[in-house]
Amino acid sequence: MTAIDISEATKRYGNETALEGLDLSVQRGEIYGFLGPNGAGKSTTINLILDFIRPSAGEVQVFGLDAREDSLEIRSRTGILPEGTECYDRLTGRQHVEFAIESKAADDDPNALLERVGIADAAGKKAGGYSKGMAQRLMLATALVDDPDLLILDEPSTGLDPNGAREMRDIIREENERGATVFFSSHVLGQVEAICDRVGILRDGHLIAEDTVEGLRDSMPNQTRLRVQVDRIPADSSAALEALESIDGVSEVSADGTTLVVACEDRAKTAVLRTIEEYDVSVEDFATDESSLEDLFMAYTSNDRTEVTP
Amino acid sequence: MSAITVAKKDFRDAVRSRTLLALTLVFALFTFGGAFLASWTAELFGEIEGDGAQTTMDLLFALQTPASFLVPIIALVVGYAAIAGERESGSLKFLLGLPHTRRDVVLGKILGRTAVVAVSILVGFAVGLVGLVTFVGSVSVVDYLLFTLVTILFGFVYVCIGVGLSSMTRSTTKAAVGALGMVLLFWFVWGIAAQLVLFWREGSFMVESFPEWYLSVVSLPPDSAYAAALGTILGEDGFTMASIYETESLPLLAEPWFGFVLLAFWALVPLGFGLWRFDRADL
């Protein structure tokens, strides 16, 4: 059973193409992480699902219903956390949640929802005085109204501190265990990795990879992260970093004091170590990690890399 | 029902606006001043005319003059950002993320904002009533209530114009310019244009009897329609076309009762056009 089924969806604004021939399907009951750099077309896709915009071509279905024709039924079964949404400044947090409850003809307890997202003590305050993180929590509370079958969260950790982001992940997990399908977009990867069943990576309006986290790793088995400890910082450190970056197969280089982290393909390892020694420093220690999704993401979305089809 | 839910939420939000409070105060000030003026004219004309007509004249002085200027401004200020403002801030995605159709949102906005304007009118007119009782002494309650109802209808018309404009654009600046344009059009441009055409056709601004097309044209704006509708309701034609232009036979458009048809037209056309545009728009 699919919760979201997008086929051949294209969206153009005048001469600009925001999305081109996107095929994407999200199974019921899974957590789908929709990844991509800013401007890749993630919000455009979500806007199509919610009938905020209409496709130039192609079809979008949710729960097997047409996103356009049956939008009302789709939205009554979906909880939405839009990206960077402003609240109504002159209404209180509780009034926002009450409005969502009334709109969905649900019978949730607004205080319980506000408690769940951790802003119960600000329930009676006007949302105009909320911080970005509180506003984000409030919007999440409204999305949880009526135990939706589908949760669509656009950049849910925006404005949240690490603790808030962790609470957000906990709620996403709880909702998923209850049976909800979760579709969320992000351009930050650290947190996605831990909770997603499947991941789709969007770039320039194309889905360039779609798989489980493990599957994505397997599709790039030679990708590793090399951690190198050197005895001192070379005199010409920036030239050294540039030299490392220009090695064929290296996708990212970062330095922290005498520790160098290089994301690269296996075959480039020797070249990396040799290059370091050319700058008159000696390698005291080095280790290789399994690549994180972050490295994969960099490799997929950086411009010099050829596209990988899953 | 969905529109009602939106309307209630919208009313709670919009009625707390400081701008509205300021405009309502100005309005109340004017109706109070109007009541004072009415008592002054009552002394001038009191002995000539009967009491019944006098009460109505008092109402016209005290309430209609400030209402016909300030209600359009209040309604447009309350309405112009109703939808464009939410599009700009993104809160429209919260609103439409909930199961409301776009039509429910527009209708709910119109109901909610009309209620806001009605509150402003009720406050202004209540102050006017206090003024009338203080300065004039007697007021016909029935006339006063009818007056209030027609004025709320007038406010509704301008809310439709404001919200209609607001649903056609994603920029509050454009909506504000549109609203200002409507005020300029109905208050100045329309009358001046009609006069210019009159001059071009008749060779003079001062004609013996005004041609029918001219009477029709100047009867069209919502503000003339409001005056005509009031004249019909109050059985007083002092402020309708027939008395202003001293003609016996009136074209249909200038008939006082036709004011209601024109008010409906000015409400439904911008509303319909706004709905049509908004329903097809990419947010």
Side-chain angles (χ1 to χ4, degrees):
Chain A
M1 283 291 262
T2 55
I4 300 173
D5 197 2
I6 299 175
S7 60
E8 287 290 306
T10 297
K11 181 64 190 177
R12 286 187 206 92
Y13 293 100
N15 288 329
E16 281 196 30
T17 305
L19 219 54
E20 193 161 342
L22 178 70
D23 286 303
L24 186 154
S25 67
V26 176
Q27 302 303 311
R28 282 198 195 187
E30 75 174 339
I31 304 182
Y32 189 100
F34 194 41
L35 306 176
N38 288 325
K42 300 191 301 288
S43 290
T44 304
T45 308
I46 289 177
N47 287 341
L48 282 175
I49 294 170
L50 299 173
D51 192 41
F52 290 165
I53 60 175
R54 281 68 191 250
S56 311
E59 245 188 281
V60 181
Q61 289 198 326
V62 184
F63 310 127
L65 301 165
D66 184 76
R68 179 85 207 264
E69 294 298 314
D70 305 308
S71 178
L72 206 58
E73 190 187 336
I74 291 169
R75 283 180 284 135
S76 68
R77 293 169 60 186
T78 305
I80 295 146
L81 175 65
E83 185 189 5
T85 293
E86 293 280 320
C87 304
Y88 296 103
D89 289 354
R90 294 186 288 253
L91 297 183
T92 65
R94 187 184 292 108
Q95 283 174 324
H96 279 81
V97 179
E98 282 168 350
F99 173 61
I101 292 170
E102 192 179 338
S103 297
K104 287 193 156 182
D107 56 2
D108 299 66
D109 172 10
N111 294 324
L113 284 166
L114 289 163
E115 181 81 54
R116 193 170 167 201
V117 299
I119 52 167
D121 46 342
K125 290 202 185 111
K126 288 188 180 164
Y130 281 16
S131 68
K132 262 200 174 286
M134 287 165 80
Q136 192 74 358
R137 285 162 186 261
L138 174 58
M139 285 294 131
L140 177 65
T142 65
L144 297 176
V145 166
D146 205 25
D147 292 340
D149 296 336
L150 171 65
L151 271 172
I152 293 182
L153 314 170
D154 199 354
E155 301 278 357
S157 47
T158 306
L160 295 177
D161 55 26
N163 196 37
R166 187 181 49 74
E167 285 172 30
M168 170 75 73
R169 284 201 303 280
D170 289 344
I171 289 176
I172 289 175
R173 259 195 219 102
E174 284 162 24
E175 287 296 299
N176 182 246
E177 276 158 24
R178 173 178 66 73
T181 307
V182 182
F183 180 82
F184 77 97
S185 78
S186 182
H187 69 283
V188 189
L189 291 147
Q191 304 153 358
V192 172
E193 203 167 357
I195 55 169
C196 286
D197 297 313
R198 278 200 311 147
V199 177
I201 298 179
L202 195 70
R203 193 180 112 196
D204 297 335
H206 296 271
L207 197 64
I208 54 171
E210 186 187 51
D211 208 335
T212 58
V213 175
E214 295 71 37
L216 281 180
R217 281 217 181 89
D218 291 346
S219 74
M220 302 183 71
N222 55 1
Q223 187 75 11
T224 54
R225 184 188 279 261
L226 194 58
R227 196 176 294 272
V228 186
Q229 189 70 43
V230 294
D231 64 339
R232 61 187 182 85
I233 302 169
D236 202 0
S237 61
S238 60
L241 291 178
E242 271 177 40
L244 288 173
E245 272 168 1
S246 65
I247 296 170
D248 183 36
V250 170
S251 53
E252 199 195 1
V253 181
S254 63
D256 179 17
T258 53
T259 307
L260 269 172
V261 178
V262 181
C264 63
E265 292 173 27
D266 271 346
R267 62 183 170 81
K269 270 196 283 190
T270 337
V272 168
L273 295 175
R274 206 172 49 231
T275 309
I276 292 172
E277 287 179 335
E278 277 171 15
Y279 281 84
D280 279 339
V281 288
S282 43
V283 174
E284 295 189 328
D285 190 14
F286 77 90
T288 50
D289 305 340
E290 186 186 10
S291 61
S292 71
L293 196 57
E294 188 84 37
D295 303 323
L296 290 177
F297 182 62
M298 289 301 297
Y300 271 118
T301 57
S302 61
N303 285 322
D304 55 348
R305 166 131 194 130
T306 50
E307 286 183 18
V308 177
T309 20
Chain B
M1 276 312 288
S2 191
I4 304 286
T5 307
V6 175
K8 281 198 303 194
K9 191 273 312 167
D10 197 54
F11 175 78
R12 284 198 196 109
D13 183 29
V15 83
R16 289 182 169 89
S17 140
R18 295 225 173 91
T19 320
L20 176 73
L21 183 67
L23 283 170
T24 306
L25 286 177
V26 171
F27 185 38
L29 211 66
F30 271 83
T31 54
F32 199 73
F36 179 73
L37 269 180
S39 75
W40 185 61
T41 55
E43 277 168 27
L44 283 181
F45 300 107
E47 286 160 34
I48 309 165
E49 295 186 47
D51 277 344
Q54 193 55 56
T55 308
T56 314
M57 285 302 285
D58 291 340
L59 281 172
L60 293 176
F61 264 107
L63 306 180
Q64 186 191 342
T65 314
S68 59
F69 280 94
L70 285 168
V71 168
I73 290 177
I74 293 170
L76 288 174
V77 166
V78 162
Y80 84 95
I83 290 177
E86 288 215 27
R87 253 170 113 171
E88 237 170 38
S89 77
S91 57
L92 192 62
K93 289 191 175 171
F94 165 65
L95 187 52
L96 279 170
L98 294 166
H100 302 291
T101 62
R102 295 192 185 186
R103 193 190 311 140
D104 287 333
V105 167
V106 174
L107 294 182
K109 287 277 175 189
I110 283 174
L111 290 176
R113 307 266 157 153
T114 301
V116 169
V117 172
V119 166
S120 184
I121 290 171
L122 290 174
V123 171
F125 276 19
V127 172
L129 184 65
V130 171
L132 282 169
V133 171
T134 312
F135 298 128
V136 183
S138 72
V139 179
S140 154
V141 176
V142 176
D143 280 358
Y144 175 81
L145 289 179
L146 285 173
F147 211 105
T148 308
L149 278 178
V150 175
T151 304
I152 290 174
L153 175 67
F154 181 51
F156 165 75
V157 169
Y158 267 97
V159 168
C160 287
I161 292 173
V163 174
L165 284 169
S166 195
S167 57
M168 290 177 210
T169 169
R170 64 175 76 240
S171 140
T172 48
T173 313
K174 278 186 191 162
V177 168
L180 185 67
M182 294 310 262
V183 169
L184 293 177
L185 171 70
F186 290 138
W187 288 1
F188 306 108
V189 178
W190 197 290
I192 291 170
Q195 292 224 334
L196 288 177
V197 176
L198 183 71
F199 183 77
W200 171 65
R201 300 257 308 235
E202 310 284 328
S204 165
F205 289 118
M206 307 302 288
V207 291
E208 280 288 303
S209 70
F210 286 93
E212 287 204 350
W213 68 262
Y214 180 78
L215 293 182
S216 297
V217 166
V218 294
S219 300
L220 288 178
D223 310 78
S224 314
Y226 170 57
L230 278 179
T232 312
I233 289 268
L234 300 177
E236 165 66 49
D237 56 4
F239 277 61
T240 57
M241 289 302 154
S243 67
I244 294 171
Y245 294 102
E246 294 170 340
T247 48
E248 288 298 313
S249 72
L250 278 174
L252 175 71
L253 292 181
E255 288 281 356
W257 64 267
F258 202 79
F260 283 102
V261 179
L262 290 171
L263 285 177
F265 173 85
W266 287 117
L268 297 180
V269 168
L271 172 57
F273 194 62
L275 271 175
W276 179 75
R277 281 287 299 269
F278 187 53
D279 215 30
R280 277 153 192 76
D282 280 346
L283 301 182

